[in-house]
Amino acid sequence: SKVDSVHQEMKARNAQIRVLHGMFLEANSSLHTGDFNECIRRSLEAEDYAVRHFGSDHVQQVYINLMLGEAYTRVGLLDLAYSCLQKALGILKLSTASKEYGMYVSICYNDLGYVCRLMGKHGESLENYKSALGCKKETHGEDHPSLVSSLNNIGIAYEAQNKLTEALECFQKALVLSRGHFGEDAQITATTYSNIGNIYLLQGRFDIALKYYGKAREILEAISSIENPDLATLYNNIGSALKELDLLDEALSMHSQALILREATLGTMHPDVASCFMQLGEVYLAKDVVDKARDCFSRAREIRESVLGSGHVDTGATLLALGNACVQSMNYDEALKYYDLAASCLRSASASLEELTHVDSCIAYVFMVQGRPSAAMKVYTRLLKQCERRNGENHPATATLYNNVANV
């Protein structure tokens, strides 16, 4: 009788697992066909079923929340994505079989790193990416091909914090591993070349940056479809380098191609699409086509406010760009409006002192061209005191502010 009872329970449990597996496969299919809202709906149904039959901390919840995390990320609901990924990671940490799920722990950390990067939480992003790398090393050793993507991710997180030396070191390690394991013509090798080019771009070494971008472009255009998202990233990077070399028409072409690819693969309301509009706007501004620049910045603002919120650093950067466009067209009152909005946004986002100082300096500049030296002096004096406290009297930033005060 006991044996029969256990047997019936096992049959019932296996039947429940089969039902849940079917629900998971349906949700996963929606994810891979790009129907992210349907994926979310089906995943939530699967999560409810799993809670009722297996409990809220069962390992089945890991797979569901990982999928929800990706789907929420794809539609720009980053807070929900973050919550799901944290839940999946928490379940794995509590599991008695956590070592058996080492791959999923690494995936959780990696996906959290990406979501944090999109949210502007670059320090947390870096720590998650490092944790993912640590999991991989523990499982596979120091010379495994899976380390390439983690090293690239860590480099990107360092780059976001302007730690360019550390970023370049990570990318160079990734390049050695990638060429050794995947070969010269692999997509991951192209991505790593592009990442190295980014560092040289930020260092102002534009010709060297274009050299690495050229290697990446040659590989990607030979091996991948035109809708490859890495191509969009690369075209934007090439456009940025060309802009700095004052090759504006070529830069505009690259950024336009990138925008087409981004919208085709990510939809029209994604942070990466907003970034494309920002870069297009900057090129139009450099060409003194201010109306088109403002159109691009306004579209970027619409996306970022909708997806990231009105208190995000990237939203602040968009408002700053709109202010700059107004200054270029000598519409100073409107410029002040956007600069004030940018300052408020950046303060809400706990932006760096450098970012806040830059916005205030723009405000002071507008006061000067409007013939309001007293207002400009008030801003510059406040900035100078902050800079002296932070950097000392002999810092280049302090010297710049002394010069601004003298000019007033």
Side-chain angles (χ1 to χ4, degrees):
S1 177
K2 283 186 176 181
V3 171
D4 288 342
S5 177
V6 170
H7 183 64
Q8 290 301 319
E9 288 180 11
M10 289 178 63
K11 284 182 65 176
R13 178 52 60 97
N14 287 337
Q16 291 166 353
I17 290 174
R18 286 194 297 272
V19 170
L20 182 60
H21 184 63
M23 298 174 78
F24 179 86
L25 289 177
E26 289 177 346
N28 194 49
S29 175
S30 297
L31 179 67
H32 287 291
T33 57
D35 192 349
F36 304 121
N37 288 320
E38 180 65 11
C39 173
I40 291 168
R41 186 186 71 79
R42 290 180 179 274
S43 296
L44 290 173
E45 288 179 353
E47 183 181 37
D48 179 67
Y49 184 89
V51 169
R52 284 188 284 113
H53 294 285
F54 301 99
S56 60
D57 293 330
H58 193 274
V59 72
Q60 297 289 344
Q61 294 282 5
V62 172
Y63 313 128
I64 296 169
N65 278 279
L66 277 171
M67 187 157 52
L68 274 170
E70 182 172 352
Y72 281 134
T73 302
R74 293 297 191 95
V75 298
L77 298 174
L78 301 181
D79 288 336
L80 289 174
Y82 181 86
S83 177
C84 289
L85 294 169
Q86 286 282 18
K87 181 177 180 180
L89 183 61
I91 294 170
L92 286 170
K93 287 181 175 180
L94 291 173
S95 173
T96 56
S98 58
K99 288 188 177 180
E100 297 176 22
Y101 297 101
M103 178 181 73
Y104 292 102
V105 175
S106 176
I107 291 171
C108 284
Y109 279 126
N110 184 75
D111 289 358
L112 278 167
Y114 179 64
V115 170
C116 287
R117 178 157 65 89
L118 292 178
M119 296 172 77
K121 298 178 178 180
H122 299 303
E124 190 174 348
S125 174
L126 177 61
E127 292 309 310
N128 279 305
Y129 282 142
K130 284 183 176 180
S131 295
L133 178 64
C135 290
K136 290 179 180 180
K137 286 183 176 180
E138 185 177 347
T139 304
H140 302 297
E142 298 281 340
D143 187 35
H144 192 268
S146 67
L147 303 187
V148 176
S149 60
S150 286
L151 285 166
N152 272 317
N153 288 334
I154 291 170
I156 291 168
Y158 275 128
E159 179 186 335
Q161 298 181 73
N162 203 35
K163 297 178 179 179
L164 303 186
T165 301
E166 294 90 336
L168 186 59
E169 182 181 345
C170 287
F171 294 145
Q172 288 170 336
K173 288 179 180 178
L175 183 61
V176 171
L177 281 175
S178 183
R179 294 172 70 179
H181 287 289
F182 301 108
E184 181 67 23
D185 297 328
Q187 178 164 324
I188 188 66
T189 304
T191 299
T192 310
Y193 275 128
S194 182
N195 288 338
I196 293 173
N198 292 345
I199 301 304
Y200 286 117
L201 177 68
L202 291 170
Q203 292 176 337
R205 303 164 74 179
F206 306 120
D207 290 330
I208 300 177
L210 284 174
K211 172 187 171 184
Y212 279 96
Y213 291 152
K215 288 177 180 286
R217 184 179 184 180
E218 182 179 347
I219 297 168
L220 288 178
E221 290 185 340
I223 67 171
S224 60
S225 71
I226 195 63
E227 291 188 353
N228 186 331
D230 286 350
L231 266 178
T233 301
L234 180 60
Y235 289 158
N236 267 331
N237 294 340
I238 293 171
S240 296
L242 290 168
K243 175 180 175 291
E244 295 299 333
L245 292 169
D246 207 31
L247 301 171
L248 300 182
D249 289 333
E250 294 176 49
L252 197 63
S253 175
M254 286 288 103
H255 289 312
S256 297
Q257 290 182 62
L259 176 61
I260 292 169
L261 295 184
R262 285 283 190 236
E263 290 187 325
T265 56
L266 300 175
T268 59
M269 295 297 290
H270 191 278
D272 288 348
V273 173
S275 295
C276 287
F277 277 114
M278 287 292 290
Q279 289 168 305
L280 271 171
E282 293 294 346
V283 177
Y284 278 125
L285 207 58
K287 288 170 65 69
D288 203 28
V289 186
V290 180
D291 288 344
K292 286 190 176 182
R294 289 191 62 173
D295 287 344
C296 289
F297 295 148
S298 295
R299 182 73 182 104
R301 178 190 181 185
E302 177 187 352
I303 296 169
R304 286 177 168 175
E305 286 186 340
S306 175
V307 176
L308 302 176
S310 58
H312 192 278
V313 288
D314 287 347
T315 304
T318 309
L319 294 164
L320 177 64
L322 280 164
N324 293 341
C326 291
V327 167
Q328 190 154 324
S329 59
M330 295 185 290
N331 191 344
Y332 298 119
D333 288 336
E334 193 171 5
L336 281 176
K337 180 189 76 172
Y338 282 120
Y339 287 151
D340 285 337
L341 288 171
S344 177
C345 176
L346 291 172
R347 280 193 294 270
S348 297
S350 300
S352 69
L353 181 60
E354 288 77 10
E355 290 170 312
L356 292 169
T357 299
H358 178 63
V359 177
D360 284 339
S361 295
C362 292
I363 292 172
Y365 171 79
V366 172
F367 286 150
M368 284 295 293
V369 297
Q370 286 183 320
R372 300 166 62 188
S374 296
M377 178 65 81
K378 183 177 179 180
V379 176
Y380 281 138
T381 301
R382 173 170 54 81
L383 292 177
L384 179 59
K385 290 179 179 178
Q386 291 176 351
C387 195
E388 285 178 331
R389 285 196 301 269
R390 180 180 176 87
N391 300 315
E393 293 184 354
N394 297 318
H395 193 274
T398 309
T400 298
L401 286 166
Y402 277 131
N403 189 58
N404 291 337
V405 171
N407 288 337
V408 176

